[in-house]
Amino acid sequence: MKVFRLILFVLHLGILFLLLGTLLNAYVPPKVFPWFNLLSLGFPVLMISYIILTIFWVFSWKKRAFVFMFAGLAFINPVKRWVNYSSPKNGDSEIKLVSFNTRAGGRGNKEIAPYLRSQDADIFLLQEDAGKDYQFDGYQKANSGGGLTILTKHKIIKQQIIDPQDENVRIPGLQVDIEIKGKIYRFIDVYLNPFRFEKDMVKLNGNTDTNEQKIKDVVKRLIPTFKKHQEQVALIREVIDHSPYPVILAGDFNSVPNSYEYYHLSDGLEDAFLTAGKGSATSFHDYKFPIRIDYVFSSKSVKAISYKVDRSVSISDHYPVIVKFSAESK
């Protein structure tokens, strides 16, 4: 029994250090050490394992349980980025925003346009969508030519592509300054480089050699993409930091919470899910694994009063994210 407990103790310590490694994404960029970003993908599994082992120590009446419980406090906010409960928010809705990756323009899916029209949102931020099929009365359109489209009921003051000037790095964002009820906001539609995985590439089977090769192939795709993300994040950060207006940043980041991308794009902004979300923030549903890669962030002067991942529709491999914001506070 002592040997078994020793093994569990060493395992628990190992999981703790791996979890701590995910926190280092706030400081260590992928081009320096990409493995911390890789760890962020396994955060849910690591966290669940950590909690189960902590419960085991509690029921074993071991003092080390208190040490692991205390250390676990460091992960409260990281856990809330995946699963959260916020109290109801007061305020009148001034901006209704829908962010939605339509999966290669819906691939001819005729349900997408009626769904968007039914939402009657002030702003639509679409990814993987050229916006060709959406001719909604009363809406203006901004398009990046790279799969990013913004539709709005309101006056567009300025629009600009966030161009990496590198043919190996896709256009990461579309910036549109929009006037709403006499106030100007900067909306940034984001789509970071995808990993281009197919289900068969990540589905393991009983063949050890095949599984080992699949894992190597996945890592070979992940790490170069993380490094491209670092370049894209730097470009988007420049647009955020130099904005004379409140910023609302949304889209498909192809990155999980606790990743380098999350920490650096959310810096100085509020995660609408943390402010007004309830339940799970999982937005990508093509794999049987909790994955949150769609986000809505805003300047602190713009408050989210509701946040919803609309799981009532499965017209893409992503669920739409719907957020309502109150009027800008002074």
Side-chain angles (χ1 to χ4, degrees), residues 18-34:
L18 291 176
L19 286 169
L20 290 172
T22 66
L23 302 182
L24 293 177
N25 282 315
Y27 312 100
V28 182
K31 288 186 178 182
V32 174
F33 192 76

Side-chain angles (χ1 to χ4, degrees), residues 99-158:
S99 177
F100 188 24
N101 182 318
T102 63
R103 193 179 191 181
R107 296 181 180 177
N109 191 331
K110 296 180 180 180
E111 296 180 66
I112 290 178
Y115 172 79
L116 295 178
R117 193 179 293 111
S118 71
Q119 291 301 311
D120 192 31
D122 293 283
I123 312 287
F124 292 102
L125 283 81
L126 308 178
Q127 304 89 44
E128 284 195 59
D129 201 318
K132 294 179 181 179
D133 299 327
Y134 313 132
Q135 302 298 329
F136 301 158
D137 291 339
Y139 281 86
Q140 296 185 61
K141 181 190 300 180
N143 186 268
S144 69
L148 293 168
T149 297
I150 294 180
L151 304 172
T152 176
K153 290 180 178 180
H154 304 279
K155 182 180 179 182
I156 294 177
I157 304 298
K158 176 185 177 182

Side-chain angles (χ1 to χ4, degrees), residues 30-292:
K31 288 186 178 182
V32 174
F33 192 76
W35 297 97
F36 291 139
N37 221 25
L38 197 64
L39 279 177
S40 67
L41 296 173
F43 182 85
V45 174
L46 291 171
M47 198 67 230
I48 291 170
S49 301
Y50 185 89
I51 292 170
I52 290 172
L53 287 170
T54 302
I55 293 172
F56 173 81
W57 297 125
V58 169
F59 282 97
S60 297
W61 296 94
K62 294 294 182 181
K63 293 180 180 179
R64 67 192 65 167
F66 296 100
V67 176
F68 285 113
M69 288 171 65
F70 181 77
L73 296 176
F75 308 111
I76 290 177
N77 281 334
V79 167
K80 288 174 68 177
R81 295 173 194 147
W82 295 82
V83 180
N84 185 40
Y85 178 82
S86 61
S87 57
K89 299 295 183 294
N90 297 320
D92 296 327
S93 174
E94 183 175 89
I95 303 170
K96 180 181 179 180
L97 176 150
V98 175
S99 177
F100 188 24
N101 182 318
T102 63
R103 193 179 191 181
R107 296 181 180 177
N109 191 331
K110 296 180 180 180
E111 296 180 66
I112 290 178
Y115 172 79
L116 295 178
R117 193 179 293 111
S118 71
Q119 291 301 311
D120 192 31
D122 293 283
I123 312 287
F124 292 102
L125 283 81
L126 308 178
Q127 304 89 44
E128 284 195 59
D129 201 318
K132 294 179 181 179
D133 299 327
Y134 313 132
Q135 302 298 329
F136 301 158
D137 291 339
Y139 281 86
Q140 296 185 61
K141 181 190 300 180
N143 186 268
S144 69
L148 293 168
T149 297
I150 294 180
L151 304 172
T152 176
K153 290 180 178 180
H154 304 279
K155 182 180 179 182
I156 294 177
I157 304 298
K158 176 185 177 182
Q159 57 180 291
Q160 181 176 322
I161 295 170
I162 303 174
D163 192 346
Q165 302 294 323
D166 184 343
E167 61 181 14
N168 294 317
V169 180
R170 67 173 295 117
I171 293 171
L174 173 64
Q175 164 206 328
V176 181
D177 298 338
I178 299 174
E179 182 178 344
I180 302 175
K181 298 180 181 178
K183 303 170 188 174
I184 300 176
Y185 302 86
R186 174 161 294 177
F187 291 86
I188 305 174
D189 193 7
V190 173
Y191 183 48
L192 300 187
N193 265 65
F195 296 103
R196 303 295 184 194
F197 286 138
E198 298 294 336
K199 286 184 179 180
D200 287 343
M201 296 172 62
V202 296
K203 186 177 181 180
L204 302 181
N205 53 40
N207 189 309
T208 303
D209 292 336
T210 302
N211 290 342
E212 183 179 347
Q213 187 58 48
K214 282 186 175 184
I215 292 171
K216 289 180 180 178
D217 291 341
V218 166
V219 171
K220 285 180 181 178
R221 283 179 179 249
L222 288 171
I223 291 179
T225 305
F226 289 152
K227 293 178 180 179
K228 289 180 181 178
H229 284 183
Q230 182 180 337
E231 297 175 28
Q232 294 176 310
V233 167
L235 293 169
I236 296 168
R237 274 303 335 171
E238 187 175 355
V239 173
I240 296 170
D241 294 338
H242 291 88
S243 174
Y245 314 117
V247 170
I248 297 177
L249 174 77
D252 176 2
F253 290 27
N254 278 304
S255 310
V256 297
N258 318 316
S259 64
Y260 172 88
E261 296 87 336
Y262 180 95
Y263 278 115
H264 288 265
L265 286 176
S266 66
D267 186 28
L269 304 176
E270 291 191 347
D271 184 337
F273 176 66
L274 290 180
T275 303
K278 297 178 182 179
S280 169
T282 296
S283 54
F284 182 77
H285 60 87
D286 214 25
Y287 303 149
K288 294 179 180 180
F289 186 81
I291 303 178
R292 181 192 181 197

Side-chain angles (χ1 to χ4, degrees), residues 100 111 115 118-119 282-283 285 308-316 318-322:
F100 188 24
E111 296 180 66
Y115 172 79
S118 71
Q119 291 301 311
T282 296
S283 54
H285 60 87
K308 177 184 178 183
V309 179
D310 190 356
R311 298 185 176 88
S312 67
V313 291
S314 295
I315 51 180
S316 168
H318 293 246
Y319 291 122
V321 176
I322 304 170

